[in-house]
Amino acid sequence: MSKKILIIGASGFVGSYLFNALNINSTYEIIGTFKKNKRKGLIKFDYSLEENFKLIDEIKPDIIIWAAGEKNLKKTEVKISKTLDKSFTPLKTLINQDLSKNNSKIIFLSSDYVFDGDKGDYTIYDKTIPKSFYGISKFKSEKYIINNHSNYNIIRAGAIIGEKSVFINWLIQSLNDNSKLDLYDNLFSPTPIINLLNCIEDIIQEKHNEKII
């Protein structure tokens, strides 16, 4: 049975990858949106304006993948209210509208920034104590989904990398420029974007029982 899947934020690195990869499967009807970065085949959707959410009811998707939001920490860490306005408030609007009309499955791309980063080796059972504004916005979004929408999956993927990701682009450019590389003295576990895709396909095909992954 064909499933209609709406990817909000399909012009970004993660969203565009999912849009292209999921379109290969003929049993899916994939619809993607952009806010500022216009891309061929995508629908313009400015999720900062509440009145624009009528688009969701017009499409009536079976599944909504929320891949939108500011991910540049230099921008998210300036002011908490601005970060919440751009990341949490639109997600809250989506939940409120979809719950009353469509009850679509929501796949929310969260982050390991919901943890404090002190101990590492986190599981979904560890306490969430975000320290950054970005982490707080993801934490609040998670809580709102959990408390107000039963049909959801939350994916806490960290440092998603792949061809054309911010990290890979920076690394290649730095090497090409013979630049000095300032790396890290701590440890982190990046997520290959193909792993994220496989996880989402498992959710779409109802192979995942866990609400938080």
Side-chain angles (χ1 to χ4, degrees), residues 11-14 16-17 37 39 69-75 113 134 159-175 181 183-184 188 190-191 193:
S11 63
F13 164 62
V14 173
S16 61
Y17 181 91
N37 302 320
R39 298 284 177 88
E70 181 60 66
K71 300 170 182 66
N72 187 331
L73 296 185
K74 290 183 179 179
K75 296 181 179 180
Y113 273 76
Y134 175 73
I160 300 170
I161 62 169
E163 186 179 0
K164 297 183 180 180
S165 65
V166 173
F167 177 77
I168 297 297
N169 285 346
W170 168 79
L171 184 61
I172 292 173
Q173 187 63 51
S174 298
L175 292 172
L181 297 179
L183 294 175
Y184 313 96
F188 70 99
T191 303
I193 197 165

Side-chain angles (χ1 to χ4, degrees), residues 32-168:
T33 75
F34 72 93
K35 184 182 177 186
K36 293 181 180 179
N37 302 320
K38 186 176 181 179
R39 298 284 177 88
K40 185 178 180 180
L42 302 184
I43 301 171
K44 181 173 177 56
F45 174 49
D46 185 351
Y47 52 78
S48 65
L49 301 175
E50 186 172 344
E51 59 265 27
N52 290 340
F53 277 80
K54 61 185 179 182
L55 175 71
I56 308 298
D57 190 45
E58 292 170 0
I59 294 174
K60 291 182 171 56
D62 299 300
I63 298 171
I64 300 172
I65 301 174
W66 187 273
E70 181 60 66
K71 300 170 182 66
N72 187 331
L73 296 185
K74 290 183 179 179
K75 296 181 179 180
T76 61
E77 303 313 296
V78 175
K79 192 175 183 180
I80 181 62
S81 59
K82 189 174 182 180
T83 298
L84 292 177
D85 282 343
K86 288 188 173 183
S87 299
F88 169 63
T89 302
L91 190 279
K92 181 179 177 181
T93 302
L94 169 69
I95 295 298
N96 290 343
Q97 173 161 321
D98 189 76
L99 182 63
S100 64
K101 296 183 178 181
N102 303 310
N103 195 31
S104 308
K105 174 181 279 294
I106 305 293
I107 300 177
F108 177 63
L109 302 188
S110 188
S111 168
D112 56 354
Y113 273 76
V114 298
F115 301 113
D116 57 20
D118 290 340
K119 79 176 188 70
D121 292 325
Y122 291 100
T123 74
I124 61 171
Y125 305 106
D126 284 302
K127 189 173 183 179
T128 47
I129 312 175
K131 288 185 174 180
S132 65
F133 296 162
Y134 175 73
I136 291 170
S137 70
K138 291 292 189 182
F139 170 77
K140 288 179 70 68
S141 296
E142 283 191 10
K143 290 300 180 186
Y144 199 83
I145 294 171
I146 292 168
N147 292 330
N148 296 280
H149 196 79
S150 60
N151 193 9
Y152 70 86
N153 289 94
I154 293 169
I155 303 175
R156 292 174 176 165
I160 300 170
I161 62 169
E163 186 179 0
K164 297 183 180 180
S165 65
V166 173
F167 177 77
I168 297 297

